[in-house]
Amino acid sequence: MNKKLIGYAALFIGIALLPLLGVYPVFVMKVLCYALFACAFNLLVGFTGLLSFGHAAFLGTAAYVTGHALKVWGLPTPVGILVGVGGAAAVGLLFGLLAIRRSGIYFSMITLALAQMLYFFFLQAPFTGGEDGLQSVPRGSFLGLHLENDLVLFYVVLGIFIAAFWLIYRIVHSPFGQVLTSIRENEARATSLGYDTGHFKLLAFVLSAALAGLAGSTKTLVLGFATLTDAIWTTSGLVILMTLVGGMGTLVGPMVGALVIIALENKIGDFGNWLGELTGVAWFNSLGESVSLVTGLIFIVCVLAFRRGLVGEAMALLERKPKPSS
């Protein structure tokens, strides 16, 4: 068996054991949701070379659609998730048809503009709850499993994440994935070989949007609400940061980046209080209110010192390590 597959299996077994070791299941589920969001984004930017500034639109669309389907329409949980993913894929198709015609910064700015238009739609639309958001979304049941129990929901979310990760793995290592990589490396050459690069980029964009939507649907299921934060431009920036910190173009990198950023958002206050007690500097006690400052500093450090991200640099270090002579 491939060593990488064994490593992935060990990783997921370790994650599955976390609640049994006393880690709060909701925190791990939140990390998994954002890790899936980052993996979906990485499929587009890391393996296709398309930098989207509006990926929060797909996360937010699926979050609202799934929440509305479960709370108002009363659909079964699996159907509600599928409807949310379908909504995100449809928005991705529309965005892709408009944005794929351009490249570079022009492509990125078009995705940002379209995402902001969708954000203001969500702000005004009655079914989203506006600034109050869509609250009290029921979890329901999944294939006979009652999801009100956090531990049961955790294993369902983990199963969804593993299935999505396997799909991304298969895409990347398929002939289709090789074409995407060739487009990233040299689109002109891919075109000269007879590939319709616009078709491949559009399909990659829709796949990435659908997977980002799956992250949004599961996030709504876990937290029980969908808000404008899911669709705002800063969330698009957050997923870029996760991917860069973890390692763009690697499969595990976005997961590591999501863990780092979400852990900072949730634990930086406790860490600041500990530093305040240790050093006697009162400013550290307010560190929890300066999450953006800390994440910005981490971004600067990663750009300057870890150009390939944490996982990318670790892989490069292992490749440089001399093999023992036989």
Side-chain angles (χ1 to χ4, degrees):
M1 185 182 289
N2 190 309
K3 290 184 179 180
K4 286 187 177 180
L5 292 179
I6 296 176
Y8 296 146
L11 173 63
F12 292 132
I13 291 173
I15 294 174
L17 294 176
L18 288 177
L20 304 180
L21 298 175
V23 182
Y24 188 40
V26 174
F27 171 73
V28 183
M29 286 188 284
K30 185 178 179 181
V31 172
L32 287 174
C33 291
Y34 276 103
L36 177 54
F37 185 31
C39 287
F41 176 76
N42 185 51
L43 178 63
L44 188 66
V45 68
F47 294 102
T48 314
L50 297 175
L51 176 59
S52 168
F53 284 164
H55 242 55
F58 314 127
L59 183 82
T61 296
Y64 278 123
V65 172
T66 295
H68 191 78
L70 296 179
K71 182 179 180 180
V72 180
W73 296 342
L75 295 179
T77 300
V79 178
I81 292 175
L82 291 176
V83 171
V85 172
V91 173
L93 178 61
L94 177 61
F95 280 24
L97 289 171
L98 295 173
I100 289 299
R101 302 178 184 182
R102 296 291 180 266
S103 60
I105 190 63
Y106 302 104
F107 169 85
S108 302
M109 295 310 296
I110 289 173
T111 59
L112 175 61
L114 293 171
Q116 282 300 99
M117 290 173 61
L118 190 62
Y119 167 80
F120 286 111
F121 168 75
F122 288 146
L123 179 62
Q124 302 291 336
F127 77 93
T128 64
E131 295 182 353
D132 295 328
L134 188 63
Q135 306 289 335
S136 303
V137 177
R139 291 179 174 178
S141 60
F142 192 97
L143 302 178
L145 300 172
H146 295 287
L147 302 181
E148 295 304 322
N149 185 301
D150 286 343
L151 193 59
V152 173
L153 179 61
F154 167 77
Y155 288 110
V156 170
V157 171
L158 179 59
I160 292 173
F161 179 85
I162 292 174
F165 185 87
W166 176 84
L167 176 61
I168 293 173
Y169 177 87
R170 293 296 302 159
I171 290 172
V172 170
H173 292 87
S174 68
F176 171 72
Q178 298 304 310
V179 175
L180 295 183
T181 303
S182 69
I183 292 173
R184 180 195 66 191
E185 297 297 330
N186 193 327
E187 185 175 350
R189 175 169 289 185
T191 302
S192 69
L193 292 174
Y195 293 109
D196 184 352
T197 57
H199 173 76
F200 279 92
K201 289 194 293 185
L202 178 60
L203 186 54
F205 194 92
V206 174
L207 284 171
S208 179
L211 289 167
L214 181 59
S217 296
T218 52
K219 180 176 175 291
T220 296
L221 201 63
V222 170
L223 300 181
F225 58 82
T227 65
L228 290 171
T229 305
D230 298 327
I232 199 168
W233 67 270
T234 52
T235 302
S236 296
L238 193 66
V239 75
I240 295 173
L241 179 61
M242 290 175 183
T243 307
L244 291 177
V245 168
M248 188 172 63
T250 64
L251 288 173
V252 179
M255 297 172 58
V256 175
L259 173 61
V260 171
I261 300 303
I262 299 303
L264 277 174
E265 287 187 345
N266 287 267
K267 303 298 182 182
I268 192 65
D270 296 337
F271 181 67
N273 292 335
W274 177 79
L275 283 178
E277 294 178 0
L278 184 66
T279 63
V281 179
W283 179 83
F284 285 123
N285 294 322
S286 62
L287 197 60
E289 303 171 4
S290 308
V291 175
S292 297
L293 173 63
V294 176
T295 53
L297 290 173
I298 289 175
F299 176 72
I300 293 172
V301 170
C302 284
V303 169
L304 294 178
F306 303 100
R307 299 293 296 273
R308 287 169 288 199
L310 298 175
V311 173
E313 292 292 343
M315 291 173 62
L317 185 62
L318 289 175
E319 290 175 359
R320 289 197 300 266
K321 186 177 179 181
K323 296 181 179 180
S325 56
S326 56

